[in-house]
Amino acid sequence: MINVKPEVLAALEGNTDLLALLGGPYIYQLKAPEGLDKYITLFELTNFDSAWADGTAFMAEVHVQVDVWVKAASTSPIAAEVDKTMKSLGFKRTSSADLYEDDTKIFHKALRYVTEREVEGG
C-alpha cells in the first residue's frame, strides 16, 4: 500500500494559479471548514496491490477523488487547474461529474483519478 495523498495535496497547494482561483490555500482532505465560498476536498477511493512477483506485491493502483466546491460560480476554471495538476503527477482522469447540492446551495464538480505506482520494498 502506498500513500499518495501528501503528494497530491502538496501539488495542488503548489499550483499558484489554482490558489489564485480559490482565493487562498483552501484545499482539504475529506472535509473543509464551514463558511467557505470556494474550496477543494480530496480523498482516496481505493488503494490495492495490482501486480505481484514471487508472492510479493510490487505495484499498487490508487484511485483518488478531488471535489471542487463553488458557491454562485462555475467550477470549470478550478477543475481545469486541478486536472492539469493531477496529470502532471501521472494520474489519469477516469470520470468527472457536475453536481449541485440543494441543501448547501453549492456547485460541486467531482473528479476521479487513477494512478499505478511501485510499492516500496516490493
Side-chain angles (χ1 to χ4, degrees), residues 10-100:
L12 291 171
E13 289 176 339
N15 181 331
T16 56
D17 292 334
L18 177 60
L19 297 185
L21 289 167
L22 290 172
Y26 303 120
I27 304 166
Y28 306 93
Q29 287 189 39
L30 292 176
K31 185 178 184 316
E34 292 184 27
L36 297 174
D37 289 337
K38 293 187 263 186
Y39 59 94
I40 290 171
T41 57
L42 64 102
F43 63 94
E44 186 178 273
L45 289 162
T46 61
N47 185 334
F48 56 89
D49 296 335
S50 59
W52 297 263
D54 298 324
T56 302
F58 67 91
M59 295 295 287
E61 184 173 307
V62 183
H63 295 250
V64 173
Q65 181 165 317
V66 181
D67 295 287
V68 176
W69 309 85
V70 179
K71 286 190 178 181
S74 172
T75 59
S76 295
I78 295 170
E81 282 300 320
V82 167
D83 199 55
K84 183 171 80 173
T85 302
M86 294 300 287
K87 288 178 178 174
S88 77
L89 295 173
F91 282 82
K92 176 184 163 191
R93 187 178 67 250
T94 59
S95 70
S96 66
D98 287 314
L99 307 162
Y100 182 74

